Coordinates of all heavy atoms in Angstrom, one line a residue:
M1 N 138.8 217.8 73.9 CA 137.6 218.1 74.8 C 136.5 218.6 73.9 O 136.7 219.5 73.0 CB 138.0 219.2 75.8 CG 137.0 219.5 76.8 SD 137.5 220.8 77.9 CE 138.9 220.1 78.8
D2 N 135.2 218.1 74.1 CA 134.2 218.6 73.2 C 133.6 219.9 73.7 O 133.9 220.4 74.8 CB 133.1 217.5 73.1 CG 132.4 217.2 74.4 OD1 132.4 218.1 75.3 OD2 131.8 216.1 74.6
L3 N 132.7 220.5 72.9 CA 132.2 221.8 73.2 C 131.5 221.9 74.5 O 131.7 222.9 75.3 CB 131.3 222.3 72.1 CG 130.7 223.7 72.2 CD1 131.8 224.7 72.3 CD2 129.7 224.0 71.0
D4 N 130.6 221.0 74.8 CA 129.9 221.0 76.1 C 130.8 221.0 77.3 O 130.6 221.7 78.3 CB 128.9 219.8 76.2 CG 127.7 220.0 75.2 OD1 127.5 221.1 74.8 OD2 127.1 219.0 75.0
R5 N 131.9 220.3 77.2 CA 132.8 220.2 78.4 C 133.6 221.5 78.5 O 133.9 222.0 79.6 CB 133.7 219.0 78.2 CG 132.9 217.7 78.4 CD 133.8 216.5 78.3 NE 134.7 216.4 79.5 CZ 135.6 215.4 79.6 NH1 135.7 214.5 78.7 NH2 136.3 215.3 80.7
K6 N 133.9 222.1 77.3 CA 134.6 223.4 77.4 C 133.7 224.5 78.0 O 134.1 225.3 78.8 CB 135.0 223.8 75.9 CG 136.2 223.2 75.4 CD 136.5 223.8 74.0 CE 137.8 223.1 73.5 NZ 138.1 223.6 72.1
L7 N 132.4 224.5 77.5 CA 131.5 225.5 78.0 C 131.2 225.3 79.5 O 131.0 226.3 80.3 CB 130.1 225.4 77.3 CG 130.1 225.9 75.9 CD1 128.8 225.6 75.2 CD2 130.4 227.4 75.8
A8 N 131.3 224.1 80.0 CA 131.1 223.8 81.4 C 132.2 224.4 82.3 O 132.1 224.6 83.5 CB 131.0 222.3 81.7
L9 N 133.3 224.8 81.6 CA 134.4 225.4 82.4 C 134.2 226.9 82.6 O 134.9 227.5 83.4 CB 135.8 225.1 81.6 CG 136.2 223.6 81.6 CD1 137.4 223.5 80.7 CD2 136.5 223.1 83.0
D10 N 133.4 227.5 81.8 CA 133.2 228.9 81.9 C 132.5 229.3 83.2 O 131.8 228.5 83.8 CB 132.2 229.4 80.8 CG 132.8 229.3 79.4 OD1 134.1 229.3 79.3 OD2 132.1 229.1 78.4
A11 N 132.9 230.4 83.7 CA 132.3 230.9 85.0 C 131.4 232.1 84.7 O 131.6 232.8 83.8 CB 133.5 231.3 85.9
F12 N 130.4 232.2 85.5 CA 129.4 233.2 85.4 C 129.2 234.0 86.7 O 129.1 233.4 87.8 CB 128.0 232.7 85.0 CG 128.0 232.0 83.6 CD1 128.4 230.6 83.6 CD2 127.7 232.7 82.5 CE1 128.4 230.0 82.3 CE2 127.8 232.0 81.3 CZ 128.1 230.7 81.2
K13 N 129.2 235.3 86.6 CA 128.8 236.1 87.8 C 127.5 236.8 87.4 O 127.5 237.6 86.5 CB 129.9 237.1 88.1 CG 129.7 237.9 89.4 CD 130.8 238.7 89.8 CE 130.5 239.5 91.1 NZ 131.5 240.5 91.4
T14 N 126.5 236.4 88.1 CA 125.1 236.8 87.7 C 124.7 238.1 88.3 O 124.7 238.2 89.6 CB 124.1 235.7 88.0 OG1 124.6 234.5 87.4 CG2 122.7 236.1 87.5
D15 N 124.3 239.1 87.5 CA 123.7 240.3 88.0 C 122.3 240.1 88.4 O 121.6 239.1 87.9 CB 123.8 241.3 86.9 CG 123.6 242.8 87.4 OD1 123.3 242.9 88.6 OD2 123.9 243.7 86.6
S16 N 121.8 240.8 89.3 CA 120.3 240.7 89.7 C 119.4 241.3 88.6 O 118.3 241.0 88.6 CB 120.1 241.4 91.0 OG 120.4 242.8 90.9
K17 N 120.0 242.1 87.8 CA 119.2 242.7 86.7 C 119.6 242.1 85.3 O 120.8 242.0 85.0 CB 119.5 244.2 86.7 CG 118.7 245.0 85.7 CD 119.1 246.5 85.9 CE 118.6 247.2 84.7 NZ 119.3 248.6 84.6
S18 N 118.6 241.7 84.6 CA 118.9 241.1 83.3 C 119.4 242.1 82.3 O 119.0 243.2 82.2 CB 117.6 240.4 82.7 OG 117.9 239.9 81.4
H19 N 120.4 241.7 81.5 CA 120.9 242.5 80.4 C 120.2 242.3 79.1 O 120.5 242.8 78.1 CB 122.4 242.3 80.3 CG 122.8 240.9 79.8 ND1 122.7 239.8 80.7 CD2 123.2 240.4 78.6 CE1 123.1 238.8 80.0 NE2 123.4 239.1 78.8
I20 N 119.2 241.4 79.2 CA 118.4 241.1 78.0 C 116.9 241.3 78.3 O 116.4 240.7 79.2 CB 118.6 239.6 77.5 CG1 120.0 239.3 77.3 CG2 117.8 239.3 76.3 CD1 120.3 237.8 77.0
L21 N 116.4 242.3 77.6 CA 114.9 242.6 77.8 C 114.2 242.2 76.5 O 114.6 242.5 75.4 CB 114.7 244.1 78.1 CG 115.5 244.5 79.4 CD1 115.3 246.0 79.6 CD2 115.0 243.8 80.6
I22 N 113.0 241.6 76.8 CA 112.2 241.2 75.6 C 110.9 242.0 75.6 O 110.2 242.0 76.7 CB 111.9 239.7 75.7 CG1 113.1 238.9 75.7 CG2 111.0 239.2 74.6 CD1 113.0 237.4 76.1
R23 N 110.6 242.5 74.5 CA 109.3 243.3 74.4 C 108.2 242.3 74.0 O 108.0 242.1 72.8 CB 109.5 244.4 73.4 CG 110.6 245.4 73.8 CD 110.9 246.4 72.8 NE 109.8 247.3 72.5 CZ 109.7 248.2 71.5 NH1 110.8 248.3 70.7 NH2 108.7 248.9 71.3
H24 N 107.6 241.8 75.0 CA 106.6 240.7 74.7 C 105.5 241.1 73.8 O 104.9 240.3 73.1 CB 106.1 240.2 76.1 CG 107.1 239.7 77.0 ND1 107.9 238.5 76.7 CD2 107.5 240.1 78.2 CE1 108.7 238.3 77.7 NE2 108.5 239.3 78.6
E25 N 105.1 242.4 73.8 CA 104.0 242.8 73.0 C 104.3 242.6 71.5 O 103.5 242.3 70.7 CB 103.5 244.2 73.3 CG 104.5 245.3 72.9 CD 105.7 245.5 73.8 OE1 105.8 244.7 74.8 OE2 106.4 246.5 73.6
L26 N 105.6 242.8 71.2 CA 106.0 242.6 69.8 C 106.0 241.1 69.4 O 105.7 240.8 68.3 CB 107.4 243.2 69.6 CG 107.5 244.7 69.6 CD1 108.9 245.2 69.3 CD2 106.6 245.4 68.5
C27 N 106.5 240.3 70.3 CA 106.5 238.8 70.1 C 105.0 238.4 69.8 O 104.8 237.6 68.8 CB 107.0 238.1 71.3 SG 108.6 238.5 71.8
R28 N 104.1 238.8 70.6 CA 102.8 238.3 70.5 C 102.1 238.9 69.2 O 101.3 238.2 68.5 CB 101.9 238.8 71.7 CG 102.4 238.1 73.0 CD 101.4 238.4 74.1 NE 101.9 237.9 75.4 CZ 102.4 238.7 76.3 NH1 102.3 240.0 76.2 NH2 102.8 238.2 77.5
S29 N 102.4 240.1 68.9 CA 101.6 240.7 67.8 C 102.3 240.5 66.4 O 101.6 240.6 65.4 CB 101.4 242.2 68.0 OG 102.7 242.9 68.1
R30 N 103.6 240.3 66.4 CA 104.2 240.3 65.1 C 105.0 239.1 64.7 O 105.4 238.9 63.6 CB 105.2 241.5 65.0 CG 104.6 242.8 65.1 CD 105.5 243.9 64.8 NE 105.0 245.2 65.2 CZ 105.7 246.3 65.1 NH1 106.9 246.3 64.8 NH2 105.1 247.5 65.4
C31 N 105.3 238.2 65.7 CA 106.3 237.1 65.4 C 105.6 235.8 65.3 O 104.8 235.4 66.2 CB 107.3 237.1 66.5 SG 108.7 236.0 66.1
T32 N 105.9 235.1 64.2 CA 105.4 233.7 64.1 C 106.5 232.7 64.1 O 106.2 231.5 64.4 CB 104.6 233.6 62.8 OG1 105.4 234.0 61.7 CG2 103.3 234.4 62.8
R33 N 107.7 233.1 63.8 CA 108.8 232.1 63.6 C 109.6 231.9 64.8 O 110.3 230.9 65.0 CB 109.6 232.5 62.4 CG 108.9 232.6 61.1 CD 109.8 232.6 59.9 NE 109.0 232.7 58.7 CZ 108.6 231.7 58.0 NH1 108.8 230.5 58.4 NH2 107.9 231.9 56.9
R34 N 109.7 232.8 65.7 CA 110.4 232.7 67.0 C 111.8 232.2 66.8 O 112.2 231.2 67.4 CB 109.6 231.8 67.9 CG 108.2 232.4 68.3 CD 107.5 231.4 69.2 NE 106.2 231.9 69.6 CZ 105.2 231.2 70.0 NH1 105.3 229.8 70.1 NH2 104.1 231.7 70.4
Y35 N 112.6 232.9 66.0 CA 113.9 232.5 65.8 C 114.7 232.4 67.1 O 115.7 231.5 67.2 CB 114.6 233.5 64.9 CG 114.1 233.5 63.5 CD1 113.6 234.7 62.9 CD2 114.0 232.3 62.7 CE1 113.1 234.8 61.6 CE2 113.5 232.4 61.4 CZ 113.0 233.6 60.9 OH 112.5 233.6 59.6
C36 N 114.4 233.1 68.1 CA 115.2 233.1 69.3 C 115.2 231.8 70.0 O 116.2 231.4 70.6 CB 114.6 234.2 70.3 SG 112.9 233.9 70.7
L37 N 114.2 231.0 69.7 CA 114.2 229.6 70.3 C 115.2 228.7 69.7 O 115.5 227.7 70.3 CB 112.8 229.0 70.2 CG 111.6 229.8 70.9 CD1 110.3 229.1 70.6 CD2 111.9 229.9 72.4
Y38 N 115.7 229.0 68.6 CA 116.6 228.1 67.9 C 118.0 228.5 67.7 O 118.9 227.7 67.5 CB 116.1 227.9 66.4 CG 114.6 227.5 66.4 CD1 113.6 228.4 66.1 CD2 114.2 226.2 66.9 CE1 112.3 228.0 66.2 CE2 112.9 225.8 66.9 CZ 111.9 226.7 66.6 OH 110.6 226.4 66.6
V39 N 118.3 229.8 67.9 CA 119.6 230.3 67.6 C 120.6 230.4 68.7 O 121.8 230.4 68.6 CB 119.6 231.7 66.9 CG1 118.8 231.7 65.6 CG2 119.0 232.8 67.8
C40 N 120.1 230.5 69.9 CA 121.0 230.7 71.1 C 121.9 229.4 71.3 O 121.3 228.3 71.5 CB 120.1 230.9 72.3 SG 121.2 231.0 73.8
P41 N 123.2 229.6 71.2 CA 124.1 228.4 71.4 C 124.0 227.8 72.7 O 124.3 226.6 72.9 CB 125.5 229.0 71.1 CG 125.3 230.4 71.4 CD 124.0 230.8 71.0
A42 N 123.5 228.5 73.7 CA 123.3 228.0 75.1 C 121.9 227.5 75.4 O 121.6 227.0 76.4 CB 123.8 229.0 76.1
G43 N 121.0 227.7 74.4 CA 119.6 227.2 74.6 C 118.9 227.9 75.7 O 118.2 227.2 76.4
L44 N 119.1 229.2 75.8 CA 118.5 229.9 77.0 C 117.1 230.4 76.8 O 116.5 230.8 77.7 CB 119.4 231.1 77.3 CG 120.9 230.7 77.6 CD1 121.7 232.0 77.9 CD2 121.0 229.8 78.8
Y45 N 116.6 230.4 75.6 CA 115.3 230.9 75.3 C 114.2 229.8 75.4 O 114.5 228.6 74.9 CB 115.2 231.6 73.9 CG 115.8 232.9 73.9 CD1 117.1 233.1 73.8 CD2 115.0 234.1 74.0 CE1 117.7 234.4 73.8 CE2 115.5 235.4 74.0 CZ 116.8 235.5 73.9 OH 117.4 236.8 73.9
R46 N 113.1 230.1 75.9 CA 112.0 229.1 75.9 C 110.6 229.9 75.9 O 110.6 231.1 76.2 CB 112.0 228.2 77.1 CG 111.7 228.8 78.4 CD 111.8 227.9 79.5 NE 111.2 228.4 80.8 CZ 110.0 228.3 81.1 NH1 109.1 227.6 80.4 NH2 109.5 228.8 82.3
Y47 N 109.6 229.2 75.4 CA 108.3 229.7 75.3 C 107.5 229.3 76.5 O 107.4 228.1 76.7 CB 107.6 229.4 74.0 CG 106.2 229.8 74.0 CD1 105.9 231.2 74.0 CD2 105.2 228.9 73.9 CE1 104.5 231.6 73.9 CE2 103.8 229.3 73.9 CZ 103.5 230.7 73.9 OH 102.2 231.1 73.8
D48 N 107.0 230.2 77.3 CA 106.1 229.9 78.5 C 104.7 229.9 78.0 O 104.1 231.0 77.7 CB 106.4 230.9 79.6 CG 105.6 230.5 80.9 OD1 104.5 230.0 80.7 OD2 106.1 230.8 82.0
E49 N 104.1 228.7 77.9 CA 102.7 228.7 77.3 C 101.7 229.3 78.3 O 100.8 230.0 77.8 CB 102.3 227.2 77.1 CG 102.6 226.7 75.8 CD 102.1 225.3 75.5 OE1 100.8 225.2 75.7 OE2 102.8 224.4 75.1
Q50 N 101.9 229.1 79.5 CA 100.9 229.7 80.5 C 100.9 231.3 80.4 O 99.8 231.9 80.5 CB 101.2 229.3 81.9 CG 100.8 227.8 82.2 CD 100.8 227.5 83.6 OE1 101.7 228.0 84.4 NE2 99.8 226.7 84.1
R51 N 102.0 231.8 80.3 CA 102.1 233.3 80.3 C 102.1 233.8 78.9 O 102.0 235.0 78.7 CB 103.5 233.8 80.9 CG 103.5 233.5 82.4 CD 104.8 234.1 82.9 NE 104.8 234.0 84.4 CZ 105.7 234.7 85.1 NH1 106.5 235.5 84.6 NH2 105.6 234.6 86.4
D52 N 102.1 232.9 77.9 CA 102.2 233.3 76.5 C 103.3 234.3 76.3 O 103.1 235.4 75.7 CB 100.8 233.9 76.0 CG 100.9 234.2 74.6 OD1 101.6 233.6 73.8 OD2 100.1 235.2 74.2
E53 N 104.5 234.0 76.7 CA 105.6 234.8 76.5 C 107.0 234.1 76.4 O 107.1 233.0 77.0 CB 105.7 235.9 77.6 CG 106.1 235.4 79.0 CD 106.1 236.5 80.0 OE1 105.3 237.5 79.9 OE2 106.9 236.4 80.9
I54 N 107.9 234.7 75.7 CA 109.2 234.2 75.6 C 110.0 234.5 76.9 O 109.9 235.7 77.3 CB 109.9 234.8 74.4 CG1 109.2 234.4 73.1 CG2 111.4 234.4 74.3 CD1 109.3 232.9 72.7
Q55 N 110.8 233.6 77.4 CA 111.6 233.9 78.5 C 113.1 233.5 78.2 O 113.3 232.6 77.4 CB 111.1 233.1 79.8 CG 109.8 233.5 80.2 CD 109.3 232.8 81.4 OE1 109.8 231.8 81.7 NE2 108.2 233.3 82.0
V56 N 114.0 234.2 78.8 CA 115.4 233.9 78.6 C 116.1 233.8 80.0 O 115.9 234.6 80.9 CB 116.1 235.0 77.7 CG1 115.9 236.4 78.4 CG2 117.5 234.7 77.5
E57 N 116.9 232.8 80.1 CA 117.7 232.5 81.3 C 119.0 233.3 81.1 O 120.1 232.8 80.8 CB 118.0 231.1 81.5 CG 116.8 230.2 81.8 CD 116.2 230.4 83.2 OE1 117.0 230.8 84.1 OE2 115.0 230.2 83.4
Y58 N 118.9 234.6 81.4 CA 120.1 235.5 81.1 C 121.4 235.1 81.9 O 122.4 235.5 81.4 CB 119.7 236.9 81.3 CG 119.6 237.3 82.8 CD1 120.6 237.8 83.5 CD2 118.4 237.1 83.5 CE1 120.5 238.2 84.8 CE2 118.2 237.4 84.8 CZ 119.3 238.0 85.5 OH 119.2 238.3 86.8
A59 N 121.2 234.4 83.0 CA 122.4 234.1 83.8 C 123.4 233.3 83.1 O 124.6 233.3 83.4 CB 121.9 233.4 85.1
G60 N 123.0 232.5 82.1 CA 123.9 231.6 81.4 C 124.3 232.2 80.0 O 124.9 231.5 79.2
C61 N 124.1 233.5 79.8 CA 124.4 234.1 78.5 C 125.9 234.1 78.2 O 126.7 234.4 79.0 CB 123.8 235.5 78.5 SG 124.1 236.4 76.9
L62 N 126.2 233.7 77.0 CA 127.6 233.7 76.5 C 128.0 235.0 75.8 O 129.1 235.1 75.3 CB 127.7 232.5 75.5 CG 127.4 231.1 76.1 CD1 127.4 230.1 75.0 CD2 128.4 230.7 77.2
E63 N 127.1 235.9 75.8 CA 127.4 237.3 75.3 C 127.8 237.2 73.8 O 128.7 238.0 73.4 CB 128.4 238.0 76.1 CG 127.9 238.2 77.6 CD 128.9 238.7 78.5 OE1 129.8 239.4 78.1 OE2 128.9 238.4 79.7
C64 N 127.2 236.4 73.0 CA 127.5 236.3 71.6 C 126.7 237.3 70.8 O 127.1 237.7 69.7 CB 127.3 234.9 71.1 SG 125.6 234.4 71.1
G65 N 125.6 237.7 71.3 CA 124.7 238.7 70.6 C 123.9 238.1 69.5 O 123.2 238.8 68.8
T66 N 123.9 236.8 69.3 CA 123.2 236.1 68.2 C 121.7 236.4 68.3 O 121.0 236.7 67.3 CB 123.4 234.6 68.2 OG1 124.8 234.4 68.1 CG2 122.7 234.0 67.0
C67 N 121.1 236.3 69.5 CA 119.7 236.5 69.6 C 119.2 237.9 69.1 O 118.1 238.0 68.5 CB 119.2 236.2 71.0 SG 120.1 237.2 72.3
R68 N 120.0 238.9 69.4 CA 119.6 240.2 69.0 C 119.6 240.4 67.5 O 118.7 241.0 66.9 CB 120.6 241.3 69.6 CG 120.2 242.7 69.3 CD 121.0 243.7 70.0 NE 122.4 243.7 69.6 CZ 123.3 244.6 69.9 NH1 123.0 245.6 70.7 NH2 124.6 244.5 69.5
V69 N 120.5 239.8 66.9 CA 120.6 239.8 65.4 C 119.5 239.0 64.8 O 118.8 239.3 63.8 CB 122.0 239.3 64.9 CG1 122.0 239.2 63.4 CG2 123.1 240.2 65.4
A70 N 119.2 237.8 65.4 CA 118.2 236.9 64.8 C 116.8 237.4 65.0 O 115.9 237.0 64.2 CB 118.4 235.5 65.5
C71 N 116.5 238.1 66.0 CA 115.1 238.6 66.2 C 114.9 239.7 65.2 O 115.3 240.8 65.3 CB 114.9 239.2 67.6 SG 113.3 239.9 67.8
D72 N 114.1 239.3 64.2 CA 113.8 240.2 63.1 C 112.6 241.2 63.4 O 112.3 242.0 62.5 CB 113.5 239.4 61.8 CG 112.3 238.5 61.9 OD1 111.9 238.3 63.1 OD2 111.8 238.0 60.9
K73 N 112.1 241.2 64.6 CA 111.1 242.1 65.0 C 111.6 243.2 65.9 O 110.8 244.1 66.4 CB 109.9 241.4 65.7 CG 109.4 240.2 64.9 CD 108.9 240.6 63.5 CE 108.4 239.4 62.8 NZ 108.3 239.6 61.3
G74 N 112.8 243.2 66.2 CA 113.4 244.2 67.1 C 112.9 244.1 68.5 O 112.8 245.1 69.2
A75 N 112.5 242.9 68.9 CA 111.9 242.7 70.3 C 112.9 242.5 71.4 O 112.5 242.5 72.6 CB 110.9 241.6 70.2
I76 N 114.2 242.3 71.0 CA 115.2 242.0 72.0 C 116.0 243.3 72.3 O 116.7 243.8 71.3 CB 116.0 240.8 71.6 CG1 115.2 239.6 71.6 CG2 117.2 240.6 72.6 CD1 115.9 238.3 71.1
E77 N 116.0 243.7 73.5 CA 116.9 244.8 73.8 C 118.1 244.2 74.6 O 117.9 243.6 75.7 CB 116.2 245.8 74.7 CG 115.1 246.6 74.0 CD 114.4 247.6 74.9 OE1 115.0 248.0 75.9 OE2 113.3 248.0 74.6
W78 N 119.2 244.3 74.0 CA 120.4 243.5 74.5 C 121.5 244.5 74.8 O 121.8 245.4 74.0 CB 120.8 242.6 73.4 CG 121.8 241.5 73.9 CD1 121.5 240.2 74.2 CD2 123.2 241.6 74.0 NE1 122.6 239.5 74.5 CE2 123.7 240.4 74.4 CE3 124.1 242.6 73.7 CZ2 125.1 240.1 74.6 CZ3 125.5 242.4 73.9 CH2 125.9 241.1 74.4
S79 N 122.2 244.3 75.9 CA 123.4 245.1 76.2 C 124.4 244.1 76.9 O 124.0 243.1 77.4 CB 123.1 246.3 77.0 OG 122.5 245.9 78.2
Y80 N 125.6 244.5 77.0 CA 126.5 243.7 77.8 C 126.2 243.8 79.2 O 125.7 244.8 79.7 CB 128.0 244.2 77.5 CG 128.6 243.7 76.2 CD1 128.7 244.5 75.2 CD2 129.0 242.3 76.1 CE1 129.3 244.1 74.0 CE2 129.5 241.9 74.9 CZ 129.6 242.7 73.9 OH 130.1 242.3 72.7
P81 N 126.4 242.8 80.0 CA 126.2 242.9 81.4 C 127.0 244.0 82.0 O 128.1 244.4 81.5 CB 126.7 241.5 82.0 CG 126.6 240.6 80.8 CD 126.9 241.4 79.6
R82 N 126.6 244.5 83.1 CA 127.4 245.6 83.8 C 128.7 245.1 84.2 O 129.0 243.9 84.3 CB 126.6 246.0 85.1 CG 125.3 246.7 84.8 CD 124.7 247.3 86.0 NE 124.4 246.3 87.0 CZ 124.0 246.6 88.3 NH1 124.0 247.9 88.6 NH2 123.7 245.6 89.1
G83 N 129.6 246.0 84.4 CA 131.0 245.6 84.7 C 131.1 244.6 85.8 O 130.4 244.7 86.8
A84 N 132.0 243.7 85.6 CA 132.3 242.6 86.6 C 131.3 241.5 86.6 O 131.5 240.4 87.2 CB 132.4 243.1 88.0
Y85 N 130.2 241.7 85.8 CA 129.2 240.6 85.7 C 129.3 239.9 84.3 O 129.9 240.4 83.4 CB 127.7 241.2 85.9 CG 127.5 241.6 87.3 CD1 127.4 243.0 87.6 CD2 127.2 240.7 88.3 CE1 127.2 243.4 88.9 CE2 126.9 241.2 89.6 CZ 126.9 242.5 89.9 OH 126.7 242.9 91.1
G86 N 128.7 238.7 84.2 CA 128.6 238.1 83.0 C 129.5 236.9 82.9 O 130.0 236.3 84.0
V87 N 129.8 236.4 81.7 CA 130.6 235.2 81.5 C 132.1 235.5 81.6 O 132.6 236.5 81.2 CB 130.2 234.6 80.1 CG1 130.7 235.4 79.0 CG2 130.9 233.2 80.0
Q88 N 132.8 234.5 82.1 CA 134.3 234.5 82.1 C 134.7 233.3 81.3 O 134.5 232.2 81.8 CB 134.9 234.5 83.5 CG 134.6 235.8 84.2 CD 135.1 235.7 85.7 OE1 135.8 234.7 86.0 NE2 134.6 236.6 86.5
Y89 N 135.3 233.5 80.1 CA 135.7 232.3 79.3 C 137.0 231.7 79.8 O 137.9 232.4 80.2 CB 135.8 232.7 77.8 CG 134.5 232.9 77.1 CD1 133.9 234.2 76.9 CD2 133.8 231.8 76.7 CE1 132.7 234.3 76.3 CE2 132.6 231.9 76.0 CZ 132.1 233.1 75.8 OH 130.9 233.3 75.2
R90 N 137.0 230.4 79.7 CA 138.2 229.7 80.0 C 138.4 228.6 79.0 O 137.4 227.9 78.7 CB 138.1 229.0 81.4 CG 137.9 230.1 82.5 CD 137.5 229.5 83.8 NE 137.3 230.5 84.8 CZ 136.9 230.3 86.0 NH1 136.7 229.1 86.5 NH2 136.8 231.3 86.9
Y91 N 139.5 228.4 78.5 CA 139.8 227.4 77.5 C 139.0 227.6 76.2 O 138.5 226.7 75.6 CB 139.7 226.0 78.0 CG 140.5 225.7 79.1 CD1 140.1 225.7 80.4 CD2 141.9 225.4 79.0 CE1 140.9 225.5 81.5 CE2 142.7 225.1 80.0 CZ 142.2 225.2 81.3 OH 143.0 224.9 82.3
G92 N 138.8 228.9 75.8 CA 138.1 229.2 74.6 C 136.6 229.1 74.7 O 135.9 229.1 73.7
Ligands
SF4_1 S1 112.3 236.2 67.6 FE1 112.1 238.1 68.6 S2 110.0 238.7 68.3 FE2 110.1 236.5 67.8 S3 109.5 235.5 69.7 FE3 111.8 235.7 69.7 S4 112.1 237.7 70.8 FE4 110.0 237.6 70.2
SF4_2 S1 123.7 236.6 73.5 FE1 124.1 234.5 72.7 S2 124.2 233.2 74.5 FE2 123.3 235.2 75.2 S3 121.1 234.8 75.1 FE3 121.7 235.7 73.1 S4 122.1 234.0 71.8 FE4 122.1 233.2 73.9

């Protein structure tokens, strides 16, 4: 079974409140490379041109923490989802 099919087996219980917060003022004033757009294994980050801000689809988060480490401007405030929310892994 390939990775995409394995990931499709995971279940998500989505909280109404995001566990990932982005400090947009830091993105705008300090960041040129936008590593967050490339490192997320689930491809959850995107740049919204109209709003001039980075957005993240937190509901699909795999809770790997990569984005927090990759953001070299400290613009991502990341915590695990509240109890009972988030990803449930199945078959690895
Ligand atoms: S890497 Fe960090 S600072 Fe740069 S755009 Fe992404 S969240 Fe913002
Ligand atoms: S923790 Fe991992 S899966 Fe979740 S948004 Fe960050 S990089 Fe993507």
Side-chain angles (χ1 to χ4, degrees):
M1 188 182 293
D2 64 24
L3 181 60
D4 286 342
R5 292 180 72 181
K6 280 185 181 176
L7 288 174
L9 295 172
D10 294 334
F12 297 88
K13 187 173 179 190
T14 305
D15 197 349
S16 57
K17 182 180 167 195
S18 177
H19 63 288
I20 304 171
L21 300 177
I22 301 170
R23 298 172 65 188
H24 300 296
E25 72 280 5
L26 289 179
C27 302
R28 293 188 188 109
S29 64
R30 298 189 190 173
C31 190
T32 56
R33 300 196 183 269
R34 296 175 178 162
Y35 294 126
C36 58
L37 297 179
Y38 308 103
V39 299
C40 175
L44 301 178
Y45 281 82
R46 72 181 189 92
Y47 174 64
D48 184 325
E49 269 188 54
Q50 283 194 324
R51 294 185 173 196
D52 183 26
E53 68 181 32
I54 298 290
Q55 295 182 344
V56 58
E57 293 288 336
Y58 72 93
C61 180
L62 300 171
E63 299 173 27
C64 66
T66 304
C67 53
R68 182 173 65 170
V69 174
C71 176
D72 59 347
K73 307 304 178 197
I76 295 176
E77 292 179 22
W78 194 99
S79 59
Y80 281 105
R82 294 189 296 170
Y85 291 104
V87 65
Q88 293 174 12
Y89 281 101
R90 297 169 184 177
Y91 300 100

